[in-house]
Amino acid sequence: MINRRSFLLRSAAAAAIASGPACRAADPAGRQTNVRGAAAPIEIVDDVYGIPHIRAQSIPDAFFGQGYVVARDRLFQIDFEHRRELGRMAEAFGPEFVRHDAQARLFHYRGDLDAELRRIPAEVLACARAYIAGINARIDAVTADPTLLPLEYRILGVAPIRWDIHDMVLARGAAAGNTDDEVRRARLAALGLLELDAVIAPLMPAHPLTVPDGLDVAQVSNDDLGVLTIGRLPFGPNTPVVDPDERSGRLERANAGSNAWTIAAARSATGRPILANDPHLGIGGFGPRHVAHLSAPGLDVIGGGAPGLPGIMQGHTERFAFGRTNFHIDQEDLFVLELHPHDPERYRHAGGWKRFTRVEISVPVKGAAPHTEVLRYAAQGPVVSYDPAKHRATAIASIAMQPGGGGSFAMIAINLAKDWAGLQEAFKLHPSPTNLHYADVAGNTGWQAIGFMPVRKRGAGLMPVPGDGRYDWTGMRDHRALPSAYNPAKGWFASANQDNLPPDWPTDRIPAFDFRDPYRYERIADVLSHQTSHSLADSVALQHDTLSTPARQLVALLPTASSEGARPAVTLLRGWNCRLDAASGAAALFEMLWRELSHRMLAAIVPERAKAIVTSIGPSVLLGLLARPDARLGQDPTAARDALFDAALIAAWTNAKAQLGPDPANWRWGALHRLRIQHPLARIPAIAAAFPAIEVGPTGGDSYTVQAHWLGNGPGWSAGGGASYLQVIDVGAWDNSLVLNLPGQSNDPRSPHYQDQVATWSVGQMQPMLYSRAAVEAHAIARLTLTPQGARP
């Protein structure tokens, strides 16, 4: 039987495509259009790679142009996320979205929004206002001419919403941070198995785990995470709210990171500094970066920005290059609140009973009456779970919810800075944890860990804590309490989410204990320390390096004596170079063996009562147990290890034959390890029809290679994330700089820049990051002038 709804949606998609022009993502060459909000004409020149070069007569107008072109290329992406953050999904999509809207609004800032805006320097605020005006100008254009609308709007029957400056300090995001880790540790403590937490991820740097005074670990459960676990948006017919194969935030958080390195002129083949950066984020939906070039008197910045956030996140100005990777700061804590036995609107705090702050909201709902919801806030922050029957609630303290904790203006401030000293002022607006890399035309290089760090009365933030006041936060520290380096003597530095705190760093200023395994950093450091004349090509090669340190270590542990069934796997792996290249058959076998060993080792060392809690094993733990089996493997650990290893080798060989064929000569890691990019709402049939999936691959790498293409959720081998944006910058000789941005600049399948970078990304072929006026003009393909409304065209 034909599903009538699906049939109509597919028909709508076909009509939407048919009614649009062949290429609508970029305006025709030489076109002019009137806009509201710009102070003077703004010229936008698109080059052959789809990068818009915005030429304005004032700095705010340059940001106006950025807002306009981001909305031109990515309107539905930024509008959808904006609507979600504002808690306005139900008004467009119906009552199933009400609880998601309520969750979003729970994390709206409840302080004085105008006071938050007054914290922002006037010149930064002016640029933010202009950026928003640029987005709204594009919304005006698509409203006046519906043929300009992205396809999603006609399919879904919705319209874009206008932006307001207050939105930039209102929506703070429902970030769980590491609160689920806190709950896991408490649950293990309740079982008397807290030591098993190290199986998942040993604390980095090392730190003793103790149960906070007053916490009843027996009462802690995943229910304490409350609305933080409500799952994905319920799009599509018969789609469950929670999908185990979803590329979840947890998966991305476990793998997300980035690589960056900075080479001083003395070690550079160019005689100038080189700065390379490839941020690692989820790949499979909307591209996380949009490249733009903003120029005006006093501003000339190019690079990758986050769509919907003003400014450039990674790139260069005319004076310096900058890049970023994730630093680690524990910015969220979960507090357990005891409710008054007779009045559940009060909770124990500071020796007495304190009343919740209650906020009643009205959520508009399409096709139904508005939904009324009561939100509660404790002294620590938003109440995420509330159970009067158990006299229990939990609240989350978050840096984002503190005054000044919104980071929407930070990129503007960084883009406006002129030098290292100016950046130090800009960092005061940057709450999120980041390693900021710097290199300037004078040859200086620098690294600064930035972000806001909570000051706790007690504890290290590793478990839930009682909300009675003893563990409350007392303030925040900014980048001035974090490490940095300027012109380091060795001539290079790198960050890859490893523990990069100095060895003598004060224990009271350790910002987090969840730094990543050092494998990527160690490989980068090994390469850079041996290169005394590092070139741009060397940086490109290193960004695509697939040598696996865990693979090297595992191959060194292969048994010298194995069963007949395991011998073919041992032989193939012993002859392998330990590179996870897409064309390598041994790489595919290694990945299957790694998974088999992980599953079998977990089953061997985790007691039955903890198996639902301890569901993964860290690479260093696995390799350590294989190298040095201990009592966790039973009375004869060595024999147990040998049997486990042999069985895993046999299983991996069998699986490889089943999935790749009987002849190992034909095996390829890239045959399994591929990328599939599809619209985030592709489970809606009409969206899937209008936005065909983009198949990318084959590709190499995994979570622990410099080319970090980590595995997605589910039983398959497809890649779930990695570096979709890459840059290598020749500091001072800017036109030599290189960039890639997967899959392309536009989200519109009618645009030539929808997936034009897939082929080059797949083979690691970088493209020029055109910067000088002469280079841009030589490669210009389209030109648009935004003329202020009322001005003579």
Side-chain angles (χ1 to χ4, degrees):
M1 178 181 293
I2 295 177
N3 182 305
R4 183 175 182 273
R5 181 175 182 274
S6 297
F7 175 77
L8 291 174
L9 285 172
R10 289 184 184 277
S11 300
I17 295 174
S19 66
C23 174
R24 181 59 76 178
D27 294 295
R31 185 180 176 189
Q32 296 190 24
T33 188
N34 290 332
V35 294
R36 288 189 298 170
I42 303 167
E43 184 182 38
I44 299 170
V45 179
D46 289 298
D47 68 25
V48 293
Y49 305 108
I51 297 176
H53 301 265
I54 302 155
R55 299 166 180 170
Q57 298 175 37
S58 69
I59 292 175
D61 269 2
F63 283 89
F64 180 100
Q66 186 192 20
Y68 189 91
V69 296
V70 167
R72 180 196 69 182
D73 295 339
R74 305 284 187 92
L75 179 58
F76 185 79
Q77 176 181 359
I78 65 173
D79 176 53
F80 184 83
E81 186 58 29
H82 190 52
R83 181 183 289 278
R84 184 174 186 172
E85 289 182 346
L86 292 181
R88 296 181 57 182
M89 298 294 288
E91 71 175 356
F93 302 112
E96 298 103 327
F97 294 82
V98 163
R99 64 178 184 154
H100 293 271
D101 284 350
Q103 182 213 44
R105 295 181 185 217
L106 177 66
F107 286 87
H108 284 180
Y109 184 68
R110 296 296 167 185
D112 186 334
L113 298 182
D114 289 319
E116 287 291 280
L117 292 175
R118 287 194 294 270
R119 292 174 177 267
I120 310 304
E123 65 274 16
V124 173
L125 188 58
C127 294
R129 291 184 185 276
Y131 179 87
I132 287 173
I135 291 175
N136 287 335
R138 182 62 183 182
I139 292 174
D140 288 341
V142 301
T143 302
D145 182 0
T147 66
L148 295 174
L149 269 172
L151 302 175
E152 295 98 333
Y153 291 101
R154 279 174 277 171
I155 293 170
L156 299 173
V158 297
I161 57 177
R162 294 183 64 81
W163 291 43
D164 184 88
I165 189 64
H166 290 91
D167 299 340
M168 297 188 73
V169 291
L170 175 67
R172 299 297 175 96
N178 69 343
T179 53
D180 54 346
D181 295 331
E182 296 177 18
V183 168
R184 180 190 70 240
R185 295 183 188 116
R187 294 176 65 196
L188 288 172
L191 296 175
L193 297 171
L194 187 52
E195 71 279 1
L196 286 180
D197 191 67
V199 170
I200 300 171
L203 296 182
M204 298 182 193
H207 188 80
L209 269 177
T210 57
V211 175
D213 181 39
L215 177 67
D216 184 355
V217 291
Q219 299 303 313
V220 176
S221 73
N222 285 334
D223 291 343
D224 288 326
L225 296 171
V227 299
L228 297 173
T229 61
I230 64 174
R232 72 184 187 190
L233 295 169
F235 276 106
N238 305 316
T239 299
V241 172
V242 179
D243 181 355
D245 291 328
E246 186 78 349
R247 288 189 176 93
S248 65
R250 174 67 182 170
L251 173 70
E252 186 166 315
R253 180 158 60 87
N255 291 280
S258 301
N259 303 318
W261 50 87
T262 305
I263 312 297
R267 295 182 68 93
S268 166
T270 68
R272 298 174 294 273
I274 294 173
L275 190 151
N277 189 198
D278 53 302
H280 301 163
L281 297 165
I283 304 177
F286 292 136
R289 292 291 181 266
H290 179 266
V291 184
H293 181 188
L294 288 65
S295 57
L299 175 73
D300 200 358
V301 61
I302 188 173
L309 187 70
I312 301 302
M313 298 190 76
Q314 285 115 338
H316 69 80
T317 70
E318 76 279 16
R319 292 179 173 87
F320 64 84
F322 56 101
R324 54 199 295 122
T325 67
N326 285 353
F327 186 62
H328 292 267
I329 303 177
D330 183 355
Q331 295 188 320
E332 293 86 16
D333 283 345
L334 191 68
F335 289 81
V336 179
L337 307 174
E338 177 190 349
L339 302 183
H340 192 284
H342 307 301
D343 183 1
E345 291 302 323
R346 290 192 288 167
Y347 61 98
R348 189 183 297 279
H349 189 266
W353 297 95
K354 189 166 186 172
R355 190 166 294 278
F356 288 117
T357 298
R358 288 166 49 99
V359 177
E360 187 173 288
I361 61 170
S362 179
V363 179
V365 182
K366 180 181 180 181
H371 172 81
T372 300
E373 184 92 7
V374 174
L375 308 178
R376 293 175 177 83
Y377 297 85
Q380 299 86 1
V383 174
V384 295
S385 73
Y386 178 72
D387 190 346
K390 294 182 178 179
H391 309 299
R392 183 183 184 86
T394 57
I396 187 170
S398 169
I399 287 292
M401 294 297 290
Q402 309 303 311
S408 299
F409 305 94
M411 293 307 103
I412 300 174
I414 287 173
N415 297 165
L416 297 183
K418 303 304 180 186
D419 51 26
W420 183 248
L423 283 172
Q424 298 300 313
E425 288 299 309
F427 295 156
K428 295 176 182 179
L429 298 179
H430 196 297
S432 61
T434 301
N435 291 291
L436 197 290
H437 284 239
Y438 169 90
D440 65 29
V441 293
N444 299 303
T445 61
W447 158 68
Q448 174 72 61
I450 56 179
F452 294 175
M453 181 169 57
V455 179
R456 300 174 174 91
K457 285 183 180 178
R458 301 173 64 182
L462 293 171
M463 284 197 203
V465 291
D468 56 14
R470 291 176 293 154
Y471 292 86
D472 286 2
W473 294 0
T474 60
M476 296 188 298
R477 292 170 169 159
D478 64 14
H479 69 284
R480 289 168 291 189
L482 296 171
S484 65
Y486 193 64
N487 290 328
K490 67 181 179 181
W492 66 270
F493 53 89
S495 63
N497 321 112
Q498 81 283 6
D499 178 3
N500 54 359
L501 297 173
D504 57 349
W505 192 249
T507 55
D508 66 331
R509 281 196 281 149
I510 293 176
F513 300 93
D514 60 351
F515 287 87
R516 298 289 183 260
D517 290 292
Y519 300 121
R520 283 184 288 114
Y521 172 77
E522 289 171 351
R523 173 58 180 163
I524 294 167
D526 181 57
V527 171
L528 295 183
S529 64
H530 288 90
Q531 289 179 338
T532 57
S533 183
H534 183 90
S535 68
L536 297 176
D538 288 331
S539 271
V540 172
L542 187 52
Q543 287 180 331
H544 296 87
D545 187 273
T546 62
L547 185 66
S548 169
T549 299
R552 275 183 164 177
Q553 294 176 357
L554 183 62
V555 168
L557 295 172
L558 288 170
T560 54
S562 58
S563 69
E564 184 177 349
R567 197 166 298 126
V570 171
T571 301
L572 181 59
L573 290 172
R574 284 199 187 282
W576 177 41
N577 62 7
C578 296
R579 291 185 176 272
L580 295 176
D581 293 330
S584 170
L589 177 63
F590 162 75
E591 292 291 345
M592 294 182 184
L593 175 60
W594 187 269
R595 183 176 288 183
E596 286 289 338
L597 287 168
S598 298
H599 291 168
R600 291 167 188 268
M601 190 65 77
L602 270 175
I605 68 173
V606 177
E608 192 65 36
R609 65 186 189 279
K611 288 189 185 301
I613 304 174
V614 182
T615 58
S616 63
I617 184 169
S620 61
V621 178
L622 175 62
L623 290 166
L625 280 167
L626 291 173
R628 297 172 298 278
D630 58 34
R632 287 175 288 180
L633 287 170
Q635 293 183 345
D636 189 345
T638 300
R641 185 273 315 272
D642 291 347
L644 185 151
F645 213 149
D646 200 81
L649 285 161
I650 294 170
W653 186 261
T654 302
N655 290 339
K657 291 173 65 177
Q659 295 188 54
L660 294 169
D663 185 357
N666 296 327
W667 294 356
R668 301 289 184 270
W669 173 223
L672 301 174
H673 197 48
R674 305 179 70 91
L675 279 167
R676 193 169 197 264
I677 299 175
Q678 57 186 2
H679 197 289
L681 304 185
R683 59 181 64 91
I684 299 173
I687 295 291
F691 296 84
I694 301 171
E695 302 293 343
V696 185
T699 188
D702 69 1
S703 297
Y704 309 116
T705 53
V706 179
Q707 180 179 281
H709 297 164
W710 70 73
L711 297 178
N713 251 348
W717 302 97
S718 62
S724 56
Y725 173 85
L726 304 93
Q727 66 178 29
V728 176
I729 298 177
D730 187 348
V731 177
W734 305 117
D735 282 336
N736 296 336
S737 301
L738 303 166
V739 68
L740 272 177
N741 190 31
L742 181 74
Q745 283 283 91
S746 175
N747 283 345
D748 192 330
R750 300 167 294 182
S751 166
H753 304 297
Y754 177 61
Q755 54 177 314
D756 59 321
Q757 297 190 37
V758 169
T760 52
W761 185 91
S762 296
V763 296
Q765 179 183 330
M766 304 283 279
Q767 67 185 32
M769 183 189 283
L770 304 174
Y771 184 70
S772 69
R773 183 174 285 261
V776 171
E777 289 297 329
H779 296 84
I781 60 169
R783 198 176 305 269
L784 170 68
T785 301
L786 305 178
T787 305
Q789 216 166 60
R792 180 176 298 176

